[in-house]
Amino acid sequence: MPRDSHAARARLLEAAFAEFAAHGMAGARVDRIAEAADANKRLIYAYFGNKERLFDEVLCRAEEAGVEAVPFDADDLPGYAGAVFDHLVARPDLMRLRLWQLLERPTADGAEPEAARRRTADAAAAQRRGALSREMAPADLLTMVLAAAQAWFWAGQGGVNWSPKRLAEHRAAVVETARRLSAPEPTTE
């Protein structure tokens, strides 16, 4: 019976995501990834070349999934911030992977740069229409909104042990912060 290479590749990527999120690239072990994926470790090298390229592939796929999971609407940055917050609360491993990337592979490119360019262009267009504040450059405004959404991760062990009430309070603060940052200036007519 022929082996399903797509299924093996998918299992390796899933196992690698968990391994890299938990241990970073330096601490990740190819043996553990292969064992968790129920695959031969030679497949990692056959499919990805080396551990660094596997990490880059995992990072790219995680970023693509994040971009798809949280739709962007420049006309509703508070809603976007709330959705990012919800996504990260549900998947704290995404932030851990991103932190490892910043520490160990800061020059690795994933899907995020292209998605960031699109969001920045959309925010700039919304600023020109008067739908968003013009007090900051579009990229800076988006950085601040994302920082607000991600702030929960830095406090209290990534929100892991937060009560539902505390999470709701923090989400409301994230949405309000994004609203204040992005509110267009009142028109004087």
Side-chain angles (χ1 to χ4, degrees):
M1 179 169 140
R3 293 184 178 251
D4 184 350
S5 63
H6 295 293
R9 184 178 166 86
R11 288 193 318 271
L12 284 167
L13 286 166
E14 186 176 324
F17 176 89
E19 181 76 6
F20 289 135
H23 303 286
M25 193 176 63
R29 298 292 172 256
V30 172
D31 291 339
R32 287 193 302 242
I33 293 169
E35 183 179 337
D38 193 28
N40 185 312
K41 81 176 188 177
R42 287 181 303 201
L43 287 177
I44 291 171
Y45 300 104
Y47 292 145
F48 306 103
N50 59 38
K51 189 166 72 166
E52 291 80 11
R53 288 182 46 205
L54 174 60
F55 182 89
D56 294 346
E57 179 73 17
V58 166
L59 179 66
C60 184
R61 287 174 176 267
E63 289 173 347
E64 286 172 352
V67 167
E68 291 173 14
V70 184
F72 179 74
D73 180 359
D75 293 323
D76 185 15
L77 288 187
Y80 175 67
V84 168
F85 176 85
D86 294 341
H87 184 66
L88 294 175
V89 167
R91 297 289 314 273
D93 51 351
L94 294 171
M95 280 298 293
R96 284 193 302 275
L97 181 68
R98 178 75 169 124
L99 290 173
W100 284 117
Q101 184 258 332
L102 291 171
L103 289 169
E104 297 180 320
R105 302 261 310 148
T107 60
D109 284 335
E112 190 59 22
E114 179 55 35
R117 282 190 283 277
R118 284 193 313 269
R119 288 190 300 257
T120 301
D122 289 350
Q127 285 178 321
R128 287 190 298 275
R129 289 193 312 274
L132 285 180
S133 170
R134 294 181 185 141
E135 289 185 31
M136 285 186 256
D140 296 340
L141 176 60
L142 294 177
T143 297
M144 294 299 290
V145 167
L146 286 172
Q150 296 169 357
W152 71 274
F153 191 82
W154 312 114
Q157 300 170 339
V160 172
N161 296 318
W162 285 5
S163 69
K165 180 180 185 258
R166 178 69 181 114
L167 283 172
E169 290 168 348
H170 195 95
R171 187 187 194 283
V174 165
V175 170
E176 179 59 16
T177 299
R179 186 195 64 74
R180 289 180 185 197
L181 286 168
S182 65
E185 298 81 16
T187 57
T188 54
E189 292 181 35

